[in-house]
Amino acid sequence: MSVTIKEIADIAGVSRGTVDRVLNNRGNVNPETENRVKEIAQRMGYRPNRAARALATRKNPIKLGFVVPAEGNSFFDDVIKGLNKQAMKLVDYGVSIEIRTIKGFDVEKQLDIIEELINLPINGLIITPIDDEVISKKLKELSENGIPVITTNSDISNANRLCYVGSDYYKGGATAAGLMKYLIKDNGKVGIITGSLKMLGHRLRVDGFIDQIKKSKINVDIVGIKECNDDNFQSYEVAKSMLTQNPDIEALFIAAGGTEGICEAVKHLELGGKLKIICFDLIPSVKKFMKMGLVDFTISQDPEYQGWKPVELLYDYLVNEVQPQKEHYYTKTEINIAENI
Amino acid sequence: MSVTIKEIADIAGVSRGTVDRVLNNRGNVNPETENRVKEIAQRMGYRPNRAARALATRKNPIKLGFVVPAEGNSFFDDVIKGLNKQAMKLVDYGVSIEIRTIKGFDVEKQLDIIEELINLPINGLIITPIDDEVISKKLKELSENGIPVITTNSDISNANRLCYVGSDYYKGGATAAGLMKYLIKDNGKVGIITGSLKMLGHRLRVDGFIDQIKKSKINVDIVGIKECNDDNFQSYEVAKSMLTQNPDIEALFIAAGGTEGICEAVKHLELGGKLKIICFDLIPSVKKFMKMGLVDFTISQDPEYQGWKPVELLYDYLVNEVQPQKEHYYTKTEINIAENI
DNA sequence: CTGAAAGCGCTTACAG
DNA sequence: CTGAAAGCGCTTACAG
């Protein structure tokens, strides 16, 4: 069996309380004793027992905040599913999670929610932040006040967050390029429709796609890069005009949301099956179009992971003083076709 | 906070020991008391605290056996990696795992290893069983003696195992068919090379492929189904003769091992890049050929999951009396190209 | 700066 | 058939 605090205490000739103080840096201990205990613990390879620690700390439970723009965005359904799985595993460890789903990207709204959570209070925060200076300032403030923050799904700079969990957007775009070569002829025409070039993730996907195309053996004629703001009505219009103006487009690369609108335009123009499509995420509407043969490939980035992993990391950081090993926890970049979903 | 045994004991007017006896069916308790306690626990929504249970049962630790034909098969490296991740999480719960890797499919050898593990003794067994009646009889015997068994990677019938964790082989084949339509022309010629038609998994992949091809819009001319017994020297010869006899083959579907030998044959015949290839697993040699452009797609089936999931299930069964929810825990069927690995 | 004691929620002998 | 006590490995006041 493994080493316990009691064993260390016996060998060091001190009480368990003192060993606990040393090992958890609680202060108030003679430097000499401290060194001796540390040395012994080190030598014996002490590792705290997590089950015991969880039990003992049950009197001051841990509350985590979780803020995502999930309203009206079915992508987040699976994120929340993953979150709940992890939450179930941690109930016995005294962990509870306050979930706040918001609609869209209103900075004031997000700020209010953060404020509300702080006042509960919470011990840590997981958030899909809006990329805005006000938010990054707020998150930095949290960290400074001892409330660690992990970003999920999208990241933000200058916020001093512990780490980021989410897609490797650039790789997602590169993967789309890797698949595109099977869909079009050499020198074939491709249209790109993305959400917003103001969004870092959307830009990275387009960059990854274009860079990888350049590296590959086939030539692609990109006829245009249009934005649809993840809106199905806008995407419908954008796709319709793009396809009308360029009737010889062989494939579309949809780098963000709006697939449903685009597919409706494709149906309207009677290009279904002929025009090839690569898009993102495995949400119900995309599944439907894939089964219908309108969408060839959809690339997904493990939404469940984006829910459970940050919880695991934040708990380990708070209770077991485990620093995240990496700054970026990237999800797998998964390729889906009708046959493997 | 949640309900505890103590609370139930107080309400029922009995000791915690008695509540424990009732809730864990240890017997020796007055039927009347039993009903009362059960009713109260039910009504209050009692759920045992796992951290506490883990701590309390630490005096009788749990030892699990893990038997896989990993020697000389790098596929299992990731299975064992996943296993170790879960093992790390469970050390504090008093769980240790005895790993036995064996080479190939020698029934006597596997039987000996099982016997050795029983004598340690172990509390549960995870195994990639050889599909042989002697083995299934042995595994059934284990279950009857209170040592639950979970199969991983490949299954066996009439063995009374708790459940199976591993690939959906049929779906893997169907997925290959879904990809094939992007690689060949209508009515294109395809060769199939599998491991052994005696292996259920290998047969299922071929079946899945053929069935799905029939369902799809394109026609495929399958020029032959050959076995290579997962051996690279055999697969080299098989591929060479198949490709020489059918110089107009457009693509190969490799349903099991032997990809390295086949790729060497393709290089030898100077068909690299021209001939399309779909294979299985994301082992180092396949990665290499994918980067070289010899392999187009490889389908992998989450080897890490095949390592960690059975451990989680078996532990929960043994300590928390949680029956597996399903008979088959299938892995994701993942599509890989050079860009997303 | 340090120790002794109590407690987290459960299980396990032991005594009756 | 049942209860009282001890213990799993840790943390937390409290007293000095």
Side-chain angles (χ1 to χ4, degrees):
Chain A
M1 297 306 333
S2 21
V3 189
T4 68
I5 276 197
K6 187 171 180 315
E7 287 167 22
I8 297 176
D10 289 348
I11 293 178
V14 296
S15 72
R16 284 139 79 195
T18 298
V19 175
D20 177 66
R21 272 171 215 117
V22 173
L23 264 24
N24 295 295
N25 304 306
R26 300 191 210 282
N28 290 330
V29 39
N30 184 317
E32 227 170 89
T33 321
E34 179 166 354
N35 286 330
R36 186 152 39 92
V37 169
K38 273 197 171 149
E39 194 270 319
I40 293 171
Q42 170 81 35
R43 178 159 46 78
M44 300 182 71
Y46 174 75
R47 284 179 18 87
N49 181 300
R50 296 179 182 213
R53 178 173 279 173
L55 240 204
T57 53
R58 208 160 181 278
K59 277 168 287 185
N60 22 8
I62 287 181
K63 202 190 279 295
L64 304 179
F66 192 87
V67 180
V68 281
E71 294 299 326
N73 185 344
S74 59
F75 168 83
F76 282 97
D77 292 354
D78 285 335
V79 175
I80 289 170
K81 191 171 157 193
L83 166 78
N84 283 328
K85 275 189 191 170
Q86 191 66 23
M88 294 274 288
K89 287 190 186 170
L90 291 178
V91 276
D92 288 343
Y93 294 75
V95 176
S96 61
I97 304 182
E98 293 288 333
I99 304 180
R100 294 290 182 279
T101 57
I102 54 187
K103 190 170 170 64
F105 300 93
D106 181 335
V107 172
E108 280 311 311
K109 187 80 185 293
Q110 188 164 76
L111 218 51
D112 284 352
I113 298 275
I114 296 174
E115 208 62 59
E116 181 210 327
L117 289 172
I118 295 176
N119 292 327
L120 285 179
I122 53 171
N123 307 84
L125 177 68
I126 297 161
I127 188 168
T128 298
I130 298 171
D131 192 2
D132 186 288
E133 197 151 333
V134 180
I135 300 290
S136 66
K137 206 169 270 174
K138 188 55 160 185
L139 296 182
K140 189 184 266 180
E141 193 186 307
L142 286 204
S143 302
E144 280 157 6
N145 291 323
I147 304 179
V149 175
I150 292 182
T151 51
T152 188
N153 188 259
S154 70
D155 204 5
I156 184 169
S157 44
N158 300 117
N160 199 21
R161 84 284 182 274
L162 227 51
C163 63
Y164 161 70
V165 177
S167 328
D168 184 338
Y169 287 96
Y170 186 89
K171 190 175 183 179
T175 299
L179 294 169
M180 191 57 88
K181 65 172 176 280
Y182 296 112
L183 300 185
I184 61 168
K185 291 191 290 284
D186 197 18
N187 281 310
K189 287 200 163 68
V190 170
I192 300 180
I193 299 174
T194 186
S196 160
L197 291 171
K198 286 192 199 120
M199 301 277 285
L200 178 64
H202 298 179
R203 259 192 344 260
L204 284 172
R205 278 188 184 152
V206 173
D207 291 350
F209 181 81
I210 293 176
D211 290 355
Q212 187 62 35
I213 286 288
K214 281 185 192 144
K215 280 188 221 157
S216 78
K217 278 170 278 181
I218 66 158
N219 297 300
V220 173
D221 181 5
I222 293 172
V223 301
I225 303 178
K226 299 287 181 191
E227 297 171 82
C228 72
N229 295 303
D230 287 358
D231 180 275
N232 284 312
F233 298 100
Q234 283 189 47
S235 69
Y236 176 86
E237 292 301 337
V238 166
K240 210 167 112 178
S241 78
M242 186 185 252
L243 291 168
T244 312
Q245 283 162 38
N246 305 276
D248 50 353
I249 283 184
E250 292 179 27
L252 291 181
F253 168 48
I254 309 173
T259 298
E260 191 162 0
I262 295 169
C263 284
E264 290 302 334
V266 170
K267 273 161 67 178
H268 185 82
L269 297 170
E270 296 183 346
L271 291 169
K274 189 173 156 267
L275 181 81
K276 303 297 178 184
I277 293 181
I278 299 177
C279 68
F280 279 88
D281 300 335
L282 198 53
I283 53 178
S285 58
V286 169
K287 277 188 193 172
K288 188 185 71 185
F289 291 118
M290 201 140 61
K291 294 284 183 197
M292 290 169 60
L294 276 182
V295 167
D296 294 87
F297 292 99
T298 185
I299 298 168
S300 60
Q301 310 199 272
D302 209 344
E304 288 198 24
Y305 182 84
Q306 302 182 30
W308 69 260
K309 190 68 182 176
V311 176
E312 183 184 271
L313 289 167
L314 203 47
Y315 174 77
D316 259 358
Y317 177 79
L318 287 167
V319 176
N320 301 317
E321 285 118 42
V322 177
Q323 286 279 346
Q325 301 283 310
K326 305 187 280 191
E327 193 185 343
H328 300 275
Y329 284 81
Y330 288 127
T331 64
K332 285 186 185 175
T333 299
E334 299 174 323
I335 299 171
N336 306 280
I337 58 176
E339 286 80 1
N340 77 325
I341 59 175
Chain B
M1 297 304 336
S2 20
V3 189
T4 67
I5 275 196
K6 186 171 181 313
E7 287 167 22
I8 297 176
D10 289 349
I11 294 176
V14 297
S15 72
R16 284 137 81 196
T18 298
V19 176
D20 177 67
R21 269 171 217 119
V22 173
L23 262 25
N24 295 294
N25 305 307
R26 300 192 209 283
N28 291 329
V29 37
N30 184 318
E32 229 171 87
T33 322
E34 179 166 353
N35 286 331
R36 187 152 38 92
V37 169
K38 274 199 169 146
E39 193 270 319
I40 294 171
Q42 170 80 35
R43 178 159 45 80
M44 300 181 71
Y46 174 75
R47 282 179 18 87
N49 181 300
R50 295 180 183 211
R53 178 174 278 173
L55 240 204
T57 52
R58 209 162 180 277
K59 277 167 287 186
N60 22 9
I62 287 181
K63 202 191 277 295
L64 304 180
F66 192 86
V67 180
V68 280
E71 294 300 327
N73 185 346
S74 59
F75 168 81
F76 282 97
D77 292 355
D78 285 336
V79 176
I80 289 171
K81 191 172 157 193
L83 167 77
N84 283 328
K85 275 189 191 171
Q86 190 66 23
M88 295 273 287
K89 286 190 188 169
L90 291 178
V91 276
D92 288 342
Y93 294 75
V95 176
S96 62
I97 303 182
E98 294 288 333
I99 305 179
R100 295 291 182 277
T101 56
I102 52 186
K103 189 172 172 62
F105 301 92
D106 181 335
V107 173
E108 281 309 312
K109 188 81 186 293
Q110 187 164 79
L111 218 52
D112 284 353
I113 298 275
I114 296 174
E115 208 62 60
E116 181 210 327
L117 288 172
I118 296 176
N119 291 328
L120 284 179
I122 52 172
N123 308 82
L125 177 68
I126 297 161
I127 188 168
T128 298
I130 299 171
D131 193 2
D132 186 288
E133 196 151 336
V134 180
I135 300 289
S136 67
K137 206 170 272 174
K138 188 56 162 182
L139 296 182
K140 188 183 266 178
E141 193 186 308
L142 286 203
S143 301
E144 280 158 5
N145 292 323
I147 303 178
V149 175
I150 292 182
T151 51
T152 187
N153 187 260
S154 70
D155 203 7
I156 185 169
S157 43
N158 299 117
N160 200 20
R161 84 283 181 278
L162 227 48
C163 63
Y164 161 71
V165 177
S167 329
D168 184 338
Y169 287 95
Y170 186 88
K171 188 175 182 179
T175 299
L179 294 169
M180 190 57 89
K181 64 172 176 280
Y182 296 112
L183 300 184
I184 61 169
K185 293 191 289 282
D186 198 19
N187 281 310
K189 286 199 161 71
V190 169
I192 299 178
I193 300 175
T194 187
S196 160
L197 291 171
K198 286 190 199 120
M199 303 276 285
L200 178 64
H202 298 179
R203 256 190 348 257
L204 284 173
R205 279 188 183 152
V206 173
D207 290 349
F209 182 81
I210 294 176
D211 289 356
Q212 188 61 37
I213 286 289
K214 280 186 193 143
K215 279 188 222 159
S216 77
K217 278 168 280 181
I218 67 159
N219 296 301
V220 173
D221 180 5
I222 293 171
V223 300
I225 303 177
K226 298 287 179 190
E227 297 171 83
C228 72
N229 294 303
D230 287 356
D231 180 275
N232 284 312
F233 298 100
Q234 283 190 47
S235 69
Y236 176 87
E237 292 302 338
V238 167
K240 211 167 111 177
S241 79
M242 187 184 253
L243 291 167
T244 311
Q245 283 163 37
N246 306 277
D248 51 352
I249 282 184
E250 292 179 29
L252 290 181
F253 168 48
I254 310 173
T259 298
E260 192 163 359
I262 295 167
C263 285
E264 289 303 333
V266 170
K267 272 160 69 176
H268 185 80
L269 296 171
E270 295 182 347
L271 291 170
K274 189 173 156 271
L275 182 82
K276 304 297 179 185
I277 293 182
I278 299 176
C279 68
F280 279 89
D281 299 334
L282 198 52
I283 54 178
S285 59
V286 169
K287 278 187 193 175
K288 190 184 71 186
F289 290 117
M290 201 139 61
K291 294 285 183 196
M292 290 169 59
L294 276 183
V295 168
D296 294 87
F297 292 100
T298 184
I299 298 167
S300 61
Q301 310 200 273
D302 209 344
E304 288 197 25
Y305 182 84
Q306 302 182 31
W308 70 260
K309 191 66 182 179
V311 175
E312 183 184 271
L313 289 166
L314 203 45
Y315 173 78
D316 259 357
Y317 177 78
L318 287 167
V319 175
N320 300 318
E321 286 121 40
V322 177
Q323 286 279 347
Q325 301 283 310
K326 304 187 281 189
E327 193 185 344
H328 300 274
Y329 284 81
Y330 288 127
T331 65
K332 285 185 185 176
T333 299
E334 298 174 323
I335 299 172
N336 305 280
I337 59 176
E339 287 80 0
N340 77 325
I341 59 174

